[in-house]
Amino acid sequence: MTKLFGTNGIRGVVNEDMTGELALSMGKAIGSYLRKTRDKPSVAIGTDARVSNNMLKTACTSGLLSVGCDVVDLGILPTPTLQFAVKEKDFDAGVIITASHNPPEFNGIKVIDGDGTELAKDQEEEIEGIYFSKNIEKTPWNMVGGFSQWDGAIDLYKESILSHVDVDVIRNARLRVVLDCGNGAGCFVAPSLLKELGCDVRELNCEPDGFFKGRPSEPVPENLKELMKKVPEENAVFGVAQDGDADRAIFVDEKGNFVFGDKSFALVAKYVVRQNKGGKVVTPVSTSSCLEEVVRAEGGEVIYTAVGSPIVARVMKKVNAVFGGEENGGLIFPEHQYCRDSAMTFAKMLELLAFEKKPLTELIDELPKYEVVKLKTRCPNDKKSQVMERLSEIVADESEVERIDRTDGVKIYTKNGWVLVRPSGTEPIFRVFAESKSKAVAEELASRYKKKVDEVVQH
Ligand code: MG
């Protein structure tokens, strides 16, 4: 194995791939990486609510201490809460033990940079290099790091959210909300934050449980049936569900319909851009044109990046964006912090509803409608870049093609919609996404371009 970090840190099944030994060595590698630029780095560590959290946290802490880092344990908390504490309390880095929405037998390690953002790919590769080289400098006994605990992160984080929404407007609206934390780390923040916002909160799966006894952790329609049933029963304005480490928020409208992440993203983007009277919104190339259409209509601009929330966050910083995010419910509010944040997302959604005084179904219905078709096709990993080059050459001459974008994979804009051909980072496949205002056109585009990819792969 030469690769540990995936798109979202290191993940694996506990005591199979994700062992105490790995966490210990990773602690040493992360610490050695930090020691390159600072003498005694300070590292905040925390976990989500999984059964294996303490085993991995203590091992990783031991590794960090052994190479001379000072470690502060922040306890169980959402990933964005740890990220906020790292930025605000001037830690040199953060480590969160989490496997996000994966099943309970999984766990993982994610490293946070000193500014609270997720590490960039090249930084992760450097840590990987140290890990595999086993080239870790011995630290003398009197240089071993110090350990302490701090329980102030959650209050600090909630204060920031409350300072970035119109609390009076939300409180006066006295909105009823069904909250489904999915027994994850969100339980430590979301119920009390909603109460502080004056909401009448109906709780579902709001006790932390390392086995995710209430529902599987990923906020997808099949896992949120209970929430979808409860929202109309309770007469709530919406339901909101978090994933295991509470960086993503997914909504259910007042009638109990699942609201797909591209819709809630576009709705909040429209609101934020209108409030800012324009501004830049950053998102990956795979995001629905629904976003661009509403952002443009409000006088804003969409900037596209390669797929991955750390990339989105970094570009947002660079271009001074007013908003950004991904279609999976991971929205980024730069005035608060540069990372996906579920609690900030539902707080902003409450403000939006309190201001608009319309039901969520109506607001969603006002958004432009696009149809997406997703296919995949096989291609050996070593041929992928050649195939993409050849594909962009072939399609460049076609009359229906208006523009080709190579930000991530090959995105082909045609008169009636776009097609994105993206190599999977983990499997020998290409994903072929097509989007159009018409379902039939999206289907036709997807199957025709999948065929083109197959032909290129064969030659
Ligand atoms: Mg997550």
Side-chain angles (χ1 to χ4, degrees), residues 100 243 245 247-248:
S100 187
D243 70 332
D245 67 332
D247 56 351
R248 296 197 280 132

Side-chain angles (χ1 to χ4, degrees), residues 82-91 114-116 156 160 336:
L82 179 121
Q83 290 180 270
F84 188 77
V86 168
K87 171 179 77 123
E88 287 298 301
K89 301 298 277 182
D90 294 325
F91 285 100
D115 63 357
L156 186 75
S160 171
H336 169 53

Side-chain angles (χ1 to χ4, degrees), residues 67-363:
V67 295
C69 296
D70 287 331
V71 179
V72 181
D73 182 4
L74 308 188
I76 304 180
L77 73 185
T79 300
T81 310
L82 179 121
Q83 290 180 270
F84 188 77
V86 168
K87 171 179 77 123
E88 287 298 301
K89 301 298 277 182
D90 294 325
F91 285 100
D92 293 312
V95 173
I96 182 87
I97 307 294
T98 180
S100 187
H101 61 268
N102 287 148
E105 63 272 25
F106 281 77
N107 213 335
I109 301 172
K110 188 190 265 190
V111 188
I112 306 301
D113 212 348
D115 63 357
T117 61
E118 296 166 74
L119 282 197
K121 204 88 239 128
D122 58 326
Q123 294 171 293
E124 288 183 341
E125 277 162 12
E126 211 174 314
I127 294 172
E128 247 165 30
I130 299 169
Y131 176 92
F132 288 112
S133 73
K134 308 236 184 280
N135 188 13
I136 286 161
E137 217 178 297
K138 237 196 193 119
T139 307
W141 69 269
N142 56 355
M143 285 293 289
V144 167
F147 176 80
S148 59
Q149 288 166 309
W150 184 59
D151 64 4
I154 289 174
D155 286 342
L156 186 75
Y157 167 77
K158 285 200 294 193
E159 254 169 54
S160 171
I161 294 177
L162 293 171
S163 75
H164 288 115
V165 290
D166 194 326
V167 176
D168 290 338
V169 168
I170 300 172
R171 279 188 186 147
N172 289 337
R174 287 198 206 90
L175 302 169
R176 182 177 296 157
V177 172
V178 184
L179 169 67
D180 182 350
C181 294
N183 306 117
C187 300
F188 293 87
V189 171
S192 60
L193 180 67
L194 282 170
K195 282 166 202 158
E196 283 167 52
L197 286 165
C199 293
D200 176 5
V201 190
R202 305 295 154 102
E203 296 184 2
L204 197 60
N205 308 315
C206 287
E207 325 76 49
D209 183 286
F211 297 94
F212 298 130
K213 65 177 181 201
R215 64 161 166 92
S217 185
E218 186 161 26
V220 289
E222 56 270 33
N223 297 339
L224 301 183
K225 292 211 174 88
E226 215 184 331
L227 178 64
M228 286 149 83
K229 192 165 150 270
K230 204 171 160 83
V231 174
E233 273 174 14
E234 296 280 1
N235 241 326
V237 291
F238 64 68
V240 60
Q242 298 174 302
D243 70 332
D245 67 332
D247 56 351
R248 296 197 280 132
I250 284 290
F251 294 90
V252 168
D253 71 25
E254 81 280 3
K255 292 187 178 151
N257 303 304
F258 185 91
V259 177
F260 281 91
D262 57 339
K263 298 284 186 192
S264 47
F265 184 15
L267 184 62
V268 178
K270 182 178 169 180
Y271 178 72
V272 171
V273 174
R274 182 178 290 175
Q275 285 208 318
N276 283 279
K277 299 188 172 66
K280 297 186 172 96
V281 176
V282 180
T283 195
V285 286
S286 51
T287 295
S288 167
S289 304
C290 176
L291 178 79
E292 185 165 338
E293 199 176 319
V294 298
V295 167
R296 275 203 192 165
E298 296 297 335
E301 182 193 348
V302 173
I303 306 222
Y304 290 104
T305 67
V307 173
S309 63
I311 302 171
V312 173
R314 273 153 214 276
V315 173
M316 283 178 69
K317 266 190 129 164
K318 211 170 94 192
V319 304
N320 201 14
V322 295
F323 188 51
E326 299 175 316
E327 290 195 305
N328 58 10
L331 307 189
I332 305 174
F333 298 84
E335 67 278 22
H336 169 53
Q337 62 172 342
Y338 285 95
C339 71
R340 297 182 291 200
D341 194 313
S342 69
M344 185 66 210
T345 302
F346 66 63
K348 193 54 93 176
M349 188 64 94
L350 287 166
E351 184 191 288
L352 187 161
L353 286 179
F355 265 121
E356 300 277 354
K357 298 191 174 67
K358 279 185 193 172
L360 187 53
T361 42
E362 210 173 297
L363 294 166

